Amino acid sequence: MLTIKDFKTAFNSLLRAKGYVFTIVITLGVTLGALVAMFNLNYQLLAAPLPYPDQDRLYIVKGNAYKNGQLAFADVNSYPALVESYKDKENFFVQKALITVDQDIIRSLPDTPQVNTSFITPEYLKLLQAPMQLGRNFNDGEGLGARSAVIVISYNTWLKVYKQDPDILNKTLQFGEVSFKIIGVTAQYFIEPQFDGVGRMTDVWLPWDYSVAGEHTQHSWTRLKSGQHLVVKLKAGAQPNTLETILTKKLNARFEAERSNDSFFRDLTIGVTFIGYQEAILGDIAGRVLLLLAGALALLLIAAVNVTNLILARVSNQQRNMAIQAALGAQKTHLFNGLLAEILIVILLAAGLAWVVSLVGVELLKHFTYKQLPRVAELHLSWQSLLFTLIMGLSLAFAFSFLVSHQINYRSLNNLLQSGSKGAGLHISTKIRNLLILGQVTFTAVLLAASLHILQQSLQHIRQPLGFSTDDIYRVSLNMGAQTSSPYEARKNNLLTISNEFRTHPKIANLSVMSDDPINSVGLYDYLSATPDYQQREKTLLSLIDHQYVNVLNMKLLAGRNFTADEFKLGSQSILINDAFARKLQNDGQVLNKRFYWQNGGAGKDIYQVVGILRDLSLPNVKEEPRMFMSQVPDHNVQFLLQLKPHQNITKQELNELLGHVNGQYKVAEITPMTYSHQVLLTQDILSASLTAVLTLLALGLAAIGIYGVLSYSVQLRRFEFGIRMAVGARPILIFVTVLKDNLAPVFLGLLVAAALVGLWLWMQQTNYNMETNLLGWLLPPMLILSLTAATSLLSAWHIIRKPASEVLRGD
Amino acid sequence: MRELTLNMTGITKVYSTEDMDTHALRGIDLEIYKGDFVSICGPSGCGKSTLLSLLGLLDMPTTGQYFIEGKDVSQLNLSEAAFIRNEKIGFIFQSFNLIDELSVFDNVALPLRYRRHKVSEKDIERKVLECLQVVDMTHRAQHKPNQLSGGQQQRIAIARALVGSPALLLVDEPTGNLDSRNGDAVMEMLQQLNANGTTLCMVTHDPRYADMASRKLHLLDGKIIDTQTLQTGETLQVVV
């Protein structure tokens, strides 16, 4: 049984070994902290219940369309199918609600902020029992068909847009042409289920009635749209499979009766799938987060092996004390208790640090992964995590003590005092020690090779020129409000006038009107063909641009010319294409001035002439797609590229004022610097680069501690031998060289095993790993590990080679 | 005129800890001439081992001057001390201090492998075998030390001490771990070496063996309290 005296003795002993304590606390603190953070994440995602009442009975009903029995469109619904399901009087569910999401601008505010909107029926927030910060939720009188102009805003909107105005209730804000009265603010701790993209948070909740514009859509059973859902709460004991069958049958009967005679829909059927909230929110995240947990566990195990070595080295140093205790009658248990007390103190400190590290880890996860991992906003260190930390800490302490005490040969300890200071009480064979080093080196080298490879790729992406300018260029998205439904010609004229208005602003150097920029493509695809029969057609991204687009972005023409101002104003049969598309149209890419047939989305077969070929762009992580540009004012999704004069900024208010000169309906939805778009594109790379840099340092640190642990233990065992060598004339440098030589064999073997593993992995992946460009990636890991071995050899031999030989021989 | 192998003047050695200073040697003056056989006696804790460590440059004095063959070696760094130790001094320890992992041959060869100027393997082999012959252990050259008896191990240790042709052989309780028969044999061997011109300095508790030396130093509380020349039986000097 451990006594306070054991702890006091252990504490005093540890006070004299600050380096030892520091190393173990840091090693275990960081790795255990990482494991606790990952455990917490896994618990939150895979085990913790959703923060909604009866969460296991909440389901999202996803619509699917099947053609000839095969899934043709997933997660799509027609408006009338949804509404009929919602209105259905059959008593299948406790509650039902509708939801669809969008984006809009708040027109009543001068900076017209763009917000995420969710259109819902009143039951939606009730299903979630959404807590309110201020005001109330929608009531039944504000449901389907009531067209009540009331809204609920999120806590975040109240904070950011209204600066926590306490009198916010009953104030109005305008979307489109409707002014809505604010009736409530959701509570700060309310967390909505994120069905439509991880990290997407609703800013404003509006009544469902305002979700759809067209009359036709409201009655068309064949207009299938994604992103609109029926959500339900099942009755206790109800089987979702049974309900799926019933609902599918009902909806298909209606669909059959209502679908048009179009041949496309003739063999189309629809159906529904009930997906639990948990599954709908988490998706297939389980595998990924479990992998993270396994990674953290592997790191802790490596750290544990390293710490075992350090403890063994320390125990080896303390053998004489143990021998004296044994000679005085100490039982094995006494020695074990002494060890356990020391280890418990160190582990307790490490667990404290681990708790801090996991707190930081959780905050980092919340900050950096809220767009990648669902439910991270709910993360907090729970009692389960605290319990996990304690269990892991205690398990480690007992495991270390058990392992080390089993390495102590109690009988040999009794002989130790008689046989001088050579020591025989604790011994781990050279083979095991070499295996430990080999394992460390192999693991570290593989990890370093992989990390450096990723790091190199990420850095290459970060430094890679895009092929166009982003400096001082801003993308301005336009919200056209009611103008969306005005005739194209009127909109076109308005947009040309707006261009002229913008041009008068002293901060603007140049501008372009367009459908999308090279980074933020809306993904509009079309086809070109060399023959009118369209037998061979080539797919391409299509962008509608003006004659300034190429100039503003400083894109390079490989051949031909840019559009002219007249071609843009009057419309022309000219196109610009990129090199990738030119080579698709014709192998040699020599298609300048050639004519091709454009299908125009199936509307016709116009002939267009290639007037210019642009150099391909180099977007990071994206293979350059074939691109085609037409000189045309976009019909929808109108955006401007503004090139500002150096060191200038422009606000929404300034642009809205100019827009007001043309038509009050036009408002700026968003101004995004192109440099920011570039940064977003690089997020993955920046994250990868940072993570791999940290991982590389951690791997190196762990390897250093691990190798040092083994070496210092080995050197400790050979201390007497080194003393003899020094007595007969070995200089300190020769002792160091002896230590280094002995260590290099397992290190080289480890490097060979690592190279074989990396080679095997590359072979299995069939990766085109370029030896030439990644030479540094190949050379750096062995160089780092060899330097590390030299440094740790020096460090472990340091306490011998800096002492006079007499002290080494005495074992001081 | 006799040739001076080493001389020490005013040598002190203080071991310091946070709490206290321990004066192991308090002003040692000593001269050893070529061909001397000096024994150092004294009670436990009188400083015998410390003096032997300083003589063998295993440690450095706190103050005082120390010359070996006229070269000042009082304050050498660890590498310089190692060079001098390797070339000028041979050690024989009480517990033999052979390296178990090396063969008898390699143990004996060790000092030659640490030479400032590399010695060829051929020369090493020749010298090692010569020394093993001196101690009559040639037949055990490929054995490991733990396969030998204590007496045999001490003979190997003597061979190792001789292999570098040192100016001074330092011997620390050479018979401490041996039975009387083996002890006598070792002492006989040392006497023989001295008779052949090797300078010896030996620490021993055993008065019988101490009397075999040509000069006997008595140490007490870190000081040499007297020096006797044993061949004449007269006290030559009192240096307290």
Side-chain angles (χ1 to χ4, degrees), chain A residues 180-417:
Chain A
F180 292 85
K181 187 172 79 177
I182 299 170
I183 58 166
V185 179
T186 54
Q188 185 178 10
Y189 58 89
F190 169 58
I191 291 160
E192 64 176 297
Q194 293 170 0
F195 300 130
D196 296 283
V198 176
R200 188 218 179 256
M201 310 282 271
T202 300
D203 297 310
V204 180
W205 308 86
L206 296 103
W208 171 266
D209 292 343
Y210 295 93
S211 65
V212 178
E215 184 75 11
H216 177 64
T217 308
Q218 291 193 32
H219 299 102
S220 169
W221 278 78
T222 53
R223 200 163 264 214
L224 300 170
K225 198 184 153 197
S226 62
Q228 46 187 14
H229 309 293
L230 175 72
V231 292
V232 297
K233 182 174 179 178
L234 300 191
K235 286 185 170 174
Q239 291 302 314
N241 293 350
T242 317
L243 295 173
E244 272 178 13
T245 315
I246 296 170
L247 210 58
T248 297
K249 204 172 168 187
K250 270 188 151 189
L251 285 172
N252 255 321
R254 289 285 294 124
F255 182 69
E256 227 167 271
E258 296 286 341
R259 71 184 168 198
S260 61
N261 290 325
D262 190 316
S263 61
F264 182 80
F265 294 104
R266 199 171 301 142
D267 41 13
L268 203 75
T269 57
I270 59 172
V272 293
T273 314
F274 279 53
I275 297 172
Y277 264 35
Q278 190 92 23
E279 187 188 338
I281 293 168
L282 297 180
D284 58 353
I285 201 73
R288 277 190 284 163
V289 290
L290 280 172
L291 205 64
L292 287 174
L293 183 68
L297 191 63
L299 275 182
L300 180 69
L301 285 177
I302 293 158
V305 172
N306 297 346
V307 168
T308 309
N309 292 331
L310 288 175
I311 295 174
L312 283 173
R314 175 165 169 78
V315 173
S316 174
N317 266 328
Q318 289 181 316
Q319 278 186 97
R320 196 169 173 79
N321 286 345
M322 286 187 184
I324 293 167
Q325 289 176 56
L328 294 175
Q331 302 290 312
K332 225 177 165 183
T333 327
H334 294 120
L335 299 179
F336 177 79
N337 282 351
L339 274 175
L340 183 63
E342 248 191 34
I343 291 170
L344 271 175
I345 292 173
V346 179
I347 294 279
L348 203 68
L349 290 171
L353 177 65
W355 192 246
V356 175
V357 169
S358 57
L359 272 171
V360 174
V362 162
E363 287 309 312
L364 289 175
L365 278 171
K366 282 164 98 166
H367 188 75
F368 288 110
T369 64
Y370 73 99
K371 283 191 174 168
Q372 281 83 35
L373 297 174
R375 297 193 68 188
V376 285
E378 297 170 56
L379 275 182
H380 64 281
L381 282 179
S382 53
W383 64 266
Q384 289 91 342
S385 303
L386 184 61
L387 190 67
F388 178 75
T389 315
L390 286 175
I391 290 174
M392 288 303 294
L394 286 175
S395 309
L396 283 172
F398 278 101
F400 290 144
S401 309
F402 182 79
L403 248 168
V404 174
S405 66
H406 268 70
Q407 294 295 330
I408 297 173
N409 187 335
Y410 186 73
R411 284 188 182 175
S412 302
L413 275 180
N414 287 322
N415 301 328
L416 184 65
L417 289 177

Side-chain angles (χ1 to χ4, degrees), chain B:
Chain B
M1 190 176 169
R2 294 176 69 193
E3 198 178 327
L4 199 60
T5 297
L6 65 88
N7 68 317
M8 285 181 154
T9 320
I11 290 289
T12 66
K13 181 68 185 176
V14 182
Y15 294 107
S16 299
T17 63
E18 282 175 8
D19 308 323
M20 58 184 291
D21 289 342
T22 305
H23 294 264
L25 296 175
R26 301 163 184 263
I28 298 287
D29 296 323
L30 174 66
E31 289 177 342
I32 295 178
Y33 293 91
K34 190 170 165 54
D36 269 0
F37 184 174
V38 178
S39 69
I40 303 172
C41 312
S44 273
C46 69
K48 297 190 299 287
S49 296
T50 304
L51 178 57
L52 204 67
S53 288
L54 297 188
L55 284 169
L57 298 177
L58 292 176
D59 207 348
M60 288 294 135
T62 308
T63 59
Q65 282 197 304
Y66 177 24
F67 294 87
I68 294 179
E69 293 184 335
K71 179 180 168 62
D72 188 354
V73 293
S74 314
Q75 293 300 329
L76 299 176
N77 66 31
L78 293 175
S79 287
E80 290 165 341
F83 275 131
I84 304 282
R85 201 159 55 233
N86 181 251
E87 287 167 3
K88 307 278 184 199
I89 297 164
F91 277 101
I92 299 167
F93 299 96
Q94 176 182 355
S95 53
F96 327 131
N97 285 355
L98 298 174
I99 296 172
D100 290 340
E101 286 74 21
L102 301 180
S103 67
V104 163
F105 181 94
D106 286 332
N107 263 290
V108 176
L110 210 54
L112 299 177
R113 298 200 196 280
Y114 294 137
R115 276 287 198 258
R116 193 191 310 239
H117 303 293
K118 193 172 160 50
V119 182
S120 71
E121 282 302 313
K122 203 174 160 187
D123 285 347
I124 288 176
E125 190 180 343
R126 183 177 53 79
K127 287 191 177 181
V128 169
L129 291 177
E130 270 174 24
C131 291
L132 283 175
Q133 203 160 11
V134 169
V135 296
D136 196 19
M137 290 296 289
T138 318
H139 61 295
R140 295 287 200 172
Q142 295 313 318
H143 285 73
K144 289 283 168 66
N146 54 16
Q147 294 171 308
L148 307 178
S149 70
Q152 287 174 319
Q153 287 192 49
Q154 194 59 302
R155 281 150 73 185
I156 301 300
I158 293 170
R160 184 180 64 187
L162 291 175
V163 78
S165 313
L168 174 68
L169 208 59
L170 296 173
V171 189
D172 187 6
E173 299 278 10
T175 58
N177 283 5
L178 301 176
D179 57 32
S180 59
R181 193 171 60 85
N182 277 310
D184 289 349
V186 165
M187 283 311 298
E188 213 171 287
M189 202 172 279
L190 292 176
Q191 268 192 318
Q192 188 58 48
L193 286 170
N194 180 240
N196 292 342
T198 307
T199 311
L200 281 152
C201 179
M202 176 178 74
V203 164
T204 183
H205 270 110
D206 193 325
R208 200 163 53 96
Y209 295 142
D211 290 344
M212 287 181 171
S214 56
R215 223 165 16 126
K216 193 169 158 187
L217 306 179
H218 285 270
L219 245 71
L220 186 67
D221 294 336
K223 293 176 184 172
I224 298 173
I225 55 167
D226 73 350
T227 305
Q228 290 175 302
T229 301
L230 294 164
Q231 282 167 329
T232 60
E234 291 173 14
T235 302
L236 295 174
Q237 192 184 4
V238 177
V239 289
V240 177

Side-chain angles (χ1 to χ4, degrees), chain A residues 30-39 42 287-303 443 447 695 698-699 702:
Chain A
V30 171
T31 48
L32 183 59
L35 181 68
V36 172
M38 287 306 125
F39 167 82
N42 275 266
R288 277 190 284 163
V289 290
L290 280 172
L291 205 64
L292 287 174
L293 183 68
L297 191 63
L299 275 182
L300 180 69
L301 285 177
I302 293 158
F443 170 77
L447 200 63
L695 198 65
L698 199 64
L702 282 178

Side-chain angles (χ1 to χ4, degrees), chain A residues 427-600:
Chain A
H427 190 76
I428 295 174
S429 70
T430 311
K431 199 173 165 187
I432 296 282
R433 278 179 271 144
N434 284 345
L435 268 176
L436 282 170
I437 294 181
L438 189 144
Q440 288 281 352
V441 168
T442 304
F443 170 77
T444 312
V446 170
L447 200 63
L448 281 180
S451 302
L452 287 170
H453 180 57
I454 295 168
L455 189 67
Q456 239 181 339
Q457 270 188 344
S458 302
L459 290 177
Q460 195 183 344
H461 286 160
I462 291 167
R463 288 196 296 254
Q464 169 183 316
L466 293 169
F468 59 92
S469 299
T470 55
D471 293 342
D472 297 319
I473 299 174
Y474 293 77
R475 177 170 55 89
V476 176
S477 317
L478 216 55
N479 184 301
M480 297 200 286
Q483 279 293 306
T484 315
S485 48
S486 65
Y488 173 71
E489 276 307 316
R491 276 183 283 139
K492 180 181 168 182
N493 288 334
N494 279 343
L495 289 170
L496 292 175
T497 316
I498 288 169
S499 293
N500 290 335
E501 282 289 335
F502 280 175
R503 233 175 264 282
T504 61
H505 198 285
K507 289 181 182 172
I508 297 173
N510 198 358
L511 67 89
S512 164
V513 59
M514 58 171 189
S515 59
D516 47 8
D517 66 69
I519 297 178
N520 304 286
S521 166
V522 291
L524 178 64
Y525 287 91
D526 218 310
Y527 297 89
L528 272 194
S529 174
T531 55
D533 58 9
Y534 248 69
Q535 283 301 311
Q536 276 194 317
R537 59 183 194 170
E538 296 298 342
K539 193 178 174 186
T540 175
L541 260 178
L542 172 63
S543 297
L544 306 179
I545 61 171
D546 66 0
H547 58 292
Q548 292 294 356
Y549 182 89
V550 171
N551 299 332
V552 169
L553 290 171
N554 197 20
M555 291 167 81
K556 295 285 173 276
L557 270 165
L558 293 177
R561 61 170 177 83
N562 188 10
F563 296 130
T564 62
D566 281 345
E567 278 175 329
F568 174 62
K569 270 182 200 162
L570 306 172
S572 76
Q573 306 285 86
S574 306
I575 51 171
L576 293 175
I577 61 173
N578 68 350
D579 195 34
F581 193 36
R583 289 178 191 283
K584 276 200 112 182
L585 291 169
Q586 195 172 296
N587 285 342
D588 61 2
Q590 302 297 316
V591 292
L592 189 65
N593 297 325
K594 290 201 172 173
R595 290 161 187 271
F596 293 92
Y597 292 88
W598 178 44
Q599 202 172 15
N600 192 8

